[in-house]
């Protein structure tokens, strides 16, 4: 069937290919009805090309479509061969000065913070790099796809709109020329014809809704009826649900289902079945049934294949159109014209309209194709961009409503184009005036929020997930409003004013619906049953915050607009609060001889709301009146007489009282919803248009009132009036035993009220309220943040409010107030407050949370103590108020205020325990301080125009009047100064008294020259200057005017209210742990120290007594004692690998005996160095195991360690471990039975060993033949003298130690080979030696890379670990099978000394010599112990070492010196050089002519020395730990002659070549045999590669300095499995540099029976399970180990402020921090990645739950 179809298809293809495009086009040119002709062509061919089978065949389809369908169109359009036609067009075209590059997902984009008109203006990387903005403050983000580069758009940039490339394309003539002039008439006509037909065809077919029927023009007779079951994408169902459903419905494999689901997700639809109608319908019903349970079902349609075919071609056509118009601006213009031409149905019937209006019905793939076309056509043509904008605005309401009901993300909606249109200032302005866009947006928004309460305010239902989803969509309208407002007009036309104010009206309607929403009533008695809904209202407020601010900014720009807006806003506010005094009997309050009428209202008993946007907007506008001086210039235009101060302050005061009461604990029963609301009310995201404006509103109202009246109303709203109007309130407390809670509550309320007064008088840093500018405001915020503690840049940014452009304005002022301190290796850069700024510190700064306030207080006092100053924190000197607010200072000297102060001081003097609190007193002292500062300021700045009316000092000197006859405030302060219970406040009181006296002095000195006189003189003097006089006169007029207004305003006085706050605090402090580096101090000795051989320095190992960390008992390490063990972690490693493509394929068959020099897979052992009894550890481990088993059964939680795999955490340091190493004494000293003086030389020794091996072979053979019974010829083996192969040595170790030898050996074997544990396996000892060798090699590399000396610089945990590991490896043979080890030795030995019995051994090019050395030395005792001839073990060690060293030298000579041709060191001078030259000649002789020309001796010797160094260093470490000989002091430091010292320590001649000369006879034979090896020959003939020496250390890959180039690299990376798709989580392997498609279904693979993500899969080949990655989009380092372990780690990229940006949220330019990258590299080289993950997971349990294997 399949092949039948196949051949049919091929037959059709052939016939199709015979069509001629030229002929068809020719026919079309002749046609009378072109449309019909073309449609017939399409109707005939499209179904033949597209959708011929169950699966799309894009390549074939594209090829045929180009040939049969598009080809003719191109011919027609060009009127000639398009191969010539298009290049001609392109040449004639003037390239655009607009870049317009459409961004791919994940591509980096750049915005200039200095020059971009708004943050949506972005550049592509290429344009950015060629622009001036590179040098500016820029932000970098990754694009979510869609959107395009704004390079060349002069409206988008304040400066530098062109990059160097696009600058070349600016036309000299400024005016726009018609692009059509480059085209011929004919061409225009043809293009018009074909575009009109094709565009209409595409639109018609894409918006076609019937499933089974084609449009009549496209129907053909005799079509075959095949169908598709088409599955559509939605954002409701998960990937898993879709995959599961598909497997059931269409009976496919999981892989196929994943494929379907991926395509559906990407393109928006995919056919999942092909066949007859019934067959498809059946699949549809299964899918619908399966997905309709909880949610709405997946959308599925059964569609006729020819419809699908035409739709596929329709999309192809749109793409084609997009590329054709790229040839010429003229073609582009024609397409725009065709697209926007009104259709037959009148308005909104153009093709473009049709597409937009169908947007939400189209599938994702279709949408993005036509969006792209719009972007490359309509938005790239300046003329049509404007026309399109109008169409878009006309359809706005419809498009938004479609979007709100649609379930696709915004980036797939046409509504998202608003950002491209509305952010263009000229377009936005035009749409506001011509299409009334502002009003449209706001009205549309309101229409979507339908629920209102009886007063017409918004009411939000419970905030469900679905509602939140809908609500989020509605919010995009606010974003549109923001775009429209973001660029502010400089010129106002009347039309713009008119339309803006109309929009402002609509906006006020919106705010009106918010004023008073979500009202709350205090819950008494019981807790509320259900937390009321509050989030939606706050979300709305938060989203609107910038819009509200921008509305004010717009108003500020035009006086007329400001005045009108102010009037409108006031009118709406009055509507909101009409009749707030209705039905209430006013009450009269009296205090200190003042009386005021107010309403009866208690916050604690009636409804109160936090949402007061109308009041707050009015407050904002009022400040603008002051700032712009409109209030003084046009008072007659303002409705000032309508202002009722008591009404203005009432609601904000209630809101602030609510906060105070919440803080006093009166609203506890109202639950968290209220606490949260109060939190956000003060939060930096909201406060600018909430809390801050409430303070301003109070300031506004109070400035127009008698301060005494205000204070009384405030007392009443705080429900404190009774307390202060009752003279003996304080005394009553001590007598009556009043409820303590109530007292506490009242105290808090008093404190809060005082705090509010401090704020009302002290907060003058908004321009317009005080004489300050915006810079002063931001400086003050920063000063107060830094008063708490030094902060990082991002912390500061978070603490400061951002404007609509996401700017805080911090950078411009930070230098003035703070110093930057650079970060170290961890942590981040910090800003510290400059010392001279501390004088501006205000303890009662209104944006401090309570926690911040007390921290700041503590920090500032500490600072003062450090500077040996007194610890008073007096109020700072404040800037003067603007005239409109100037009367506020009078609060401080009002009678009621003095009464409040006096009362509280009185309580403090009487000092009864209840009625007052220290913080109450502290606030009163602060207020007194403020008043004194104020008075002093007034006196110092006394000018000709003013008489100082601020006489606080006089007032506080006066004693109270009868009847109370209380002492004066001053007198009470003097009393309190000596009160022992007020020690903390003494400094402050002293400061007050001092300031008081200072003021008195100023007053006294100034009273000698009366104020009036002074004024006169100055006036006269200044009149000399005419100019000055004129200015003076004007100022005078202004002053009079001002005074008039002030009088007018203060005329209207009435009523009331109050305030408070509540906040959260969190601190997290982490302390770093440090490890110490200990010296292993050497023994001082005169004789040179020698590590091995017969001349080895004799060391009496000191007794080693250790303490068990578990039972705390001490024990000596001895052979026959119970075992002591070190916690250890064994892991496979590829850190030293020189070939990452090589890994152990089949661990069961793998033979590890010889390590290849590529070191591709080693076994590393590490330890934290903590010691335990073996039995204590055993018990501990059993307990952990039992606990985990229970825990896993109970709640299937993961732990950071895998008990089943033998993992546990060190009981002391929680370091991840998976086995233990026994502690041992140097094993050689145990078996070194004899010490002979007469020892064999190398030649003799090799001979003897060879004989012994031969004897063993014979013996083995006999045994085997004996066992196979056929014993024919019993040849008596010739045993060398003293060799007793029957001798079996006694094991010296205790049972416990033996057990541990097996335990660790088995663990190494198990982990190293990833096999099941089997202690009998002959590979166990090999793995132990290998791990010893490998671990030493890694440590040698680290020391080398860090340029540290070989000895004396290892942390003691590594020192202990290496010592134990080496000694363990040396002792392990005693626990292994004797004959197995012996056999290993023989094989190893044969690799150097040939033995025909052991064929097929690797050549010397393919053996890592250090591994060979370690294995030989450690297996040698099995042979040696049977030798009773008197040879010493140490002699053997030395000969083995010499032999391997020589082999290594040959290895080096063979591989290293092939490249350079010597630096003309003509005559070899040194003996080494001569010797090595001679050796090289011998080698050449053996190797034949294959070796290269003979280099100089100097060069040879140099490369030998360099090449062998790592080996010698490793050997020194090895023998040091094996034999315990201390290292000579010379190699414990970096210095000259290291090589010579090493040689001496290792018992080597420093002229290494001497070794060959001494043993030339045997060596020549050996060299010859090595060179005769086939592999070596092959290498010499150039037939293969070999590792050369010294091997370079592996490093992590090089990273670019600029992070954005990584982002760019990643954006060009596409998923390797799903054909050209962009990867969602491109992730870079830092070990090998491979880019991976992480965290995605497409790239999951199966690993050991489980599906794993690309990263996990990669770690198995690249890092033996361990991986270090950089997640490029997130800028985050990822550590992985195995399938279940992982953690994130700080990336090595920092911004200019010394901070990382994980998640790339801030977008500051990031640069590589080399030190931090080195730190990561070191973790890797030290094999600490797994350990790091363990620690991270222990510290943060949520990391344990992540499915790391899916990354
Ligand atoms: Zn660009
Ligand atoms: Zn450019
Ligand atoms: Zn710039
Ligand atoms: Zn113990
Ligand atoms: Zn430990
Ligand atoms: Zn890799
Ligand atoms: Zn992929």
């Amino acid at each position: 069937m399949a092949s039948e179809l196949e051949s049919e298809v091929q037959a059709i293809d052939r016939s199709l290919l015979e069509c001629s495009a030229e002929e068809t086009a020719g026919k079309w040119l002749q046609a009378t009805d072109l449309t019909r002709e073309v449609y017939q062509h399409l109707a005939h061919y499209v179904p033949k090309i597209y959708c011929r089978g169950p699966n799309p065949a894009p390549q074939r389809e594209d090829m045929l479509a180009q040939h049969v369908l598009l080809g003719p169109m191109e011919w027609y359009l060009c009127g000639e061969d398009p191969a010539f036609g298009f290049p001609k067009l392109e040449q004639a075209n003037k390239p655009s000065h607009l870049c317009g590059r459409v961004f791919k997902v994940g591509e980096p984009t750049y915005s200039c913070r200095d020059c971009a008109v708004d943050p949506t203006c972005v550049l592509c990387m290429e344009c950015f790099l060629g622009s001036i903005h590179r040098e500016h403050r820029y932000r970098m983000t990754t694009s979510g796809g869609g959107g395009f580069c704004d390079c060349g758009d002069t409206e988008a940039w304040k400066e530098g709109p062109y990059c160097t490339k696009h600058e070349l394309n600016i036309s000299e003539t400024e005016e726009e020329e018609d692009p059509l002039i480059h085209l011929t008439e004919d061409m225009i006509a043809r293009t018009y014809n074909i575009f009109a037909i094709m565009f209409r065809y595409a639109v018609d077919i894409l918006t076609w809704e019937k499933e089974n029927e084609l449009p009549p023009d496209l129907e053909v007779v005799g079509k075959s009826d095949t169908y598709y079951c088409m599955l559509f994408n939605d954002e409701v169902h998960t990937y898993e649900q879709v995959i599961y459903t598909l497997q059931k419905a269409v009976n496919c494999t999981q892989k196929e289902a994943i494929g379907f689901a991926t395509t559906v997700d990407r393109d928006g639809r995919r056919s999942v079945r092909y066949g007859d109608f019934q067959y498809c319908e059946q699949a549809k019903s299964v899918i619908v049934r399966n997905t309709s349970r909880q949610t709405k079902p997946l959308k599925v349609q059964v569609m006729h294949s020819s419809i699908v075919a035409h739709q596929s071609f329709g999309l192809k056509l749109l793409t084609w159109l997009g590329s054709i118009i790229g040839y010429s601006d003229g073609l582009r213009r024609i397409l725009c014209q065709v697209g926007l031409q009104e259709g037959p149905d009148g308005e909104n019937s153009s093709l473009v309209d049709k597409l937009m209006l169908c947007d939400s019905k189209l599938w994702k793939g279709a949408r993005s194709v036509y969006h792209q076309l719009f972007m490359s056509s309509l938005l790239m043509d300046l003329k049509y961009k404007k026309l399109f904008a109008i169409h878009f605005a006309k359809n706005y309401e419809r498009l938004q409503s479609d979007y709100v009901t649609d379930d696709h993300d915004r980036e797939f909606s046409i509504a998202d184009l608003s950002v491209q249109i509305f952010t263009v200032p000229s377009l936005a302005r035009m749409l506001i005036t011509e299409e009334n866009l502002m009003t449209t947006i706001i009205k549309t928004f309101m229409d979507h929020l339908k629920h209102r309460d009886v007063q017409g305010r918004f009411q939000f239902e419970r905030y469900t997930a679905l509602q939140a989803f809908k609500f989020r969509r509605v919010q995009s309208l606010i974003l549109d409003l923001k775009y429209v407002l973001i660029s502010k007009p400089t010129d106002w036309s009347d039309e713009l004013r008119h339309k803006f104010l109309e929009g402002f009206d609509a906006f006020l309607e919106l705010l009106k619906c918010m004023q008073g929403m979500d009202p709350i009533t205090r819950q008494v008695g019981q807790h509320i049953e259900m937390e009321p809904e509050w989030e939606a209202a706050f979300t709305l407020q938060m989203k609107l915050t910038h819009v509200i601010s921008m509305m004010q900014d717009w108003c500020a720009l035009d006086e007329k607009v400001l005045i009108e807006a102010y009037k409108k806003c006031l009118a709406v506010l009055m509507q909101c609060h009409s009749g707030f005094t209705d039905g209430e009997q006013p009450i009269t309050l009296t205090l200190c001889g003042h009386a005021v009428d107010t309403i009866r209202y208690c916050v604690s008993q009636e409804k109160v709301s936090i949402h007061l946007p109308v009041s707050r907007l009015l407050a904002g506008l009022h400040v603008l009146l002051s700032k712009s001086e409109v209030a003084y210039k046009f008072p007659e235009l303002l409705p000032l007489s309508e202002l009722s101060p008591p009404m203005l302050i009432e609601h904000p005061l209630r809101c602030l009282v609510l906060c105070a009461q919440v803080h006093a604990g009166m609203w506890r029963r109202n639950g968290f919803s209220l606490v949260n609301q109060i939190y956000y009310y003060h939060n930096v995201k909201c406060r600018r248009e909430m809390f801050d404006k409430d303070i301003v509103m109070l300031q506004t109202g109070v400035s127009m009132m008698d301060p005494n009246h205000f204070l009384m109303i405030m007392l009443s709203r705080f429900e404190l009036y009774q307390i202060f109007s009752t003279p003996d309130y304080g005394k009553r407390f001590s007598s009556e035993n009043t409820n303590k809670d109530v007292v506490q509550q009242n105290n808090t309320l008093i404190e809060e009220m005082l705090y509010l007064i401090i704020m009302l008088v002290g907060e003058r840093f908004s321009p317009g309220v005080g004489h300050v500018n915006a810079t002063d405001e931001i400086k003050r915020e920063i000063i107060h943040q830094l008063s708490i503690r030094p902060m990082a840049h991002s912390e500061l940014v978070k603490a400061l409010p951002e404007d609509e452009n996401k700017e805080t304005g911090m950078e411009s002022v930070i230098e003035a107030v703070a110093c930057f301190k650079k970060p170290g290796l961890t942590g981040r850069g910090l800003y510290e407050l400059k010392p001279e700024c501390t004088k501006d510190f205000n303890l009662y700064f209104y944006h401090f949370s309570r926690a911040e306030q007390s921290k700041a207080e503590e920090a500032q006092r500490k600072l003062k103590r450090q500077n040996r100053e007194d610890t008073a924190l007096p109020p700072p000197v404040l800037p003067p108020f603007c005239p409109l607010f100037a009367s506020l200072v009078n609060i401080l000297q009002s009678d009621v205020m003095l009464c409040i102060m006096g009362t509280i001081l009185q309580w403090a003097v009487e000092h009864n325990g209840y009625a007052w609190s220290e913080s109450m007193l502290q606030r009163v002292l602060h207020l007194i301080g403020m008043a004194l500062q104020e008075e002093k300021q007034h006196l110092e700045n006394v000018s000709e125009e003013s008489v100082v009316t601020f006489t606080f000092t006089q007032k506080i000197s006066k004693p109270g009047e009868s009847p109370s006859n209380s002492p004066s405030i001053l007198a009470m302060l003097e009393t309190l100064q000596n009160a022992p219970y007020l020690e903390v406040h003494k400094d402050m009181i002293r400061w007050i008294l001092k300031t008081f006296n200072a003021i008195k002095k100023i007053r006294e000195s100034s009273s000698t020259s009366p104020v009036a006189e002074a004024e006169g003189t100055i006036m006269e003097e200044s009149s000399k200057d005419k100019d000055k006089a004129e200015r003076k006169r004007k100022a005078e007029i202004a002053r009079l005017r001002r005074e008039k207004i002030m009088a007018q305003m203060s005329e209207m006085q009435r009523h009331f209210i109050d305030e408070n706050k509540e906040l959260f605090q969190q601190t997290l402090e982490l302390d770093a742990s440090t490890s110490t580096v200990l010296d292993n101090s050497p023994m001082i000795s005169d004789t040179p120290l020698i590590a091995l051989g017969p001349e080895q320095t004799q060391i009496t190992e000191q007794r080693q007594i250790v303490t068990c960390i578990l039972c705390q008992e001490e024990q000596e390490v001895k052979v026959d004692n119970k075992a002591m063990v070190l916690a250890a972690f064994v892991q496979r490693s590829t850190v030293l690998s020189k070939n990452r493509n090589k890994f152990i394929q089949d661990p069961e068959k793998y033979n590890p005996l010889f390590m290849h020099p590529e070191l591709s897979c080693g076994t590393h052992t590490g330890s934290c160095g903590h010691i335990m009894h073996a039995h204590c550890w055993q018990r501990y481990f059993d307990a952990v195991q039992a606990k985990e088993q229970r825990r896993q059964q109970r709640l299937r939680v993961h732990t950071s360690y895998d008990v089943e795999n033998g993992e546990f955490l060190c009981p002391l340091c929680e370091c991840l471990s998976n086995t233990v190493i026994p502690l041992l004494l140097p094993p050689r000293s145990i078996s070194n039975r004899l010490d002979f003086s007469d020892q064999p030389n190398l030649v003799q020794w090799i001979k003897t060993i060879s004989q012994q091996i031969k004897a063993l072979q014979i013996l083995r053979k006999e045994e085997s033949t004996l066992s196979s019974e056929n014993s024919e010829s019993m040849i008596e083996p010739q045993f060398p003298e003293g060799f007793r192969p029957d001798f079996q040595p006694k094991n010296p170790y205790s049972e416990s130690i033996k057990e541990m030898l097996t335990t660790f050996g088995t663990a190494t074997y198990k982990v190293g080979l990833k096999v099941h544990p089997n202690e009998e396996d002959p590979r166990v000892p090999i793995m132990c030696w290998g791990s010893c060798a490998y671990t030493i090699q890694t440590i040698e590399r680290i020391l080398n890379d860090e340029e540290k000396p070989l000895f004396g610089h290892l942390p003691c945990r590594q020192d202990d670990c290496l010592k134990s590991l080496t000694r363990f490896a040396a002792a392990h043979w005693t626990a292994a099978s004797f004959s197995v080890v012996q056999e290993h030795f023989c094989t190893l030995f044969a690799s150097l000394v040939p033995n025909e019995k052991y064929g097929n051994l690797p050549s010397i090019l393919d053996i890592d010599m250090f591994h060979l050395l370690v294995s030989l030395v450690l297996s040698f005792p099995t042979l040696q112990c049977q030798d009773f001839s008197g040879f010493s073990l140490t002699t053997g060690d030395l000969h083995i070492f010499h032999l391997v060293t020589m082999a290594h030298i040959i290895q080096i000579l063979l591989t290293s010196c092939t490249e350079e041709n010597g630096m003309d060191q003509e005559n070899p001078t040194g003996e080494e050089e001569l010797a090595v030259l001679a050796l090289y000649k011998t080698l050449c002789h053996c190797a034949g002519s294959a070796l290269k020309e003979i280099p100089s001796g100097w060069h040879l010797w140099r490369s030998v020395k360099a090449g062998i160094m790592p080996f010698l260093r490793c050997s020194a470490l090895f023998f040091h730990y094996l034999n315990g000989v201390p290292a000579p002091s010379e190699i414990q430091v970096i210095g000259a002659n290291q090589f010579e010292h090493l040689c001496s320590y290792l018992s080597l001649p420093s002229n290494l070549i001497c070794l060959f000369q001494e043993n030339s006879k045997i060596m020549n034979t050996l060299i010859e045999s090595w060179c005769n090896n086939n592999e070596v020959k092959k290498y010499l003939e150039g037939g293969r590669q070999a590792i050369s020496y010294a091997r370079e250390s592996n490093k992590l890959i090089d990273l670019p300095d600029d992070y954005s180039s990584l982002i760019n690299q990643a954006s060009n990376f596409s998923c390797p499995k799903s054909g050209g798709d962009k990867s969602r989580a491109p992730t870079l392997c830092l070990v090998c540099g491979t880019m991976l498609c992480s965290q995605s279904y497409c790239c999951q693979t199966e690993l050991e029976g489980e599906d794993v993500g690309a990263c996990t899969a990669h770690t198995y080949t690249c890092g033996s399970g361990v991986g270090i990655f950089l997640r490029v989009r997130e800028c985050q380092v990822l550590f992985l180990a195995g399938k279940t372990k992982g953690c994130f780690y700080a990336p090595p990229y920092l911004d200019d402020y010394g901070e990382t940006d994980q998640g790339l949220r801030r977008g500051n330019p990031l640069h590589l921090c080399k030190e931090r990258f080195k730190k990561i590299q070191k973790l890797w080289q030290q094999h600490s990645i797994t350990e790091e993950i363990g620690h991270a997971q222990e510290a943060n349990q949520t990391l344990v739950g992540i499915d790391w294997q899916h990354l």
Side-chain angles (χ1 to χ4, degrees), residues 741-759:
D741 279 354
V742 174
V743 176
Q744 187 58 49
Q745 222 166 61
N746 282 335
N747 282 350
T748 309
L749 288 175
I750 295 171
E751 287 163 21
E752 294 296 306
M753 183 193 70
L754 293 168
Y755 189 12
L756 177 58
I757 300 171
I758 294 175
M759 290 192 274

Side-chain angles (χ1 to χ4, degrees), residues 1505 1509 1530-1531 1535-1543:
K1505 233 170 117 174
M1509 216 30 192
E1530 292 87 355
I1531 47 178
N1537 301 329
Q1538 287 294 299
F1539 182 78
E1540 284 72 19
H1541 293 303
L1542 261 182
C1543 289

Side-chain angles (χ1 to χ4, degrees), residues 1613-1618 1621-1624 1636-1638 1640-1644 1654:
F1613 167 72
S1614 48
C1615 166
K1617 289 213 179 149
S1618 43
D1621 258 21
K1622 290 297 156 213
S1623 168
R1624 287 172 202 214
L1636 300 161
C1637 169
S1638 169
S1640 171
Y1641 273 103
C1642 51
C1643 285
Q1644 282 197 353

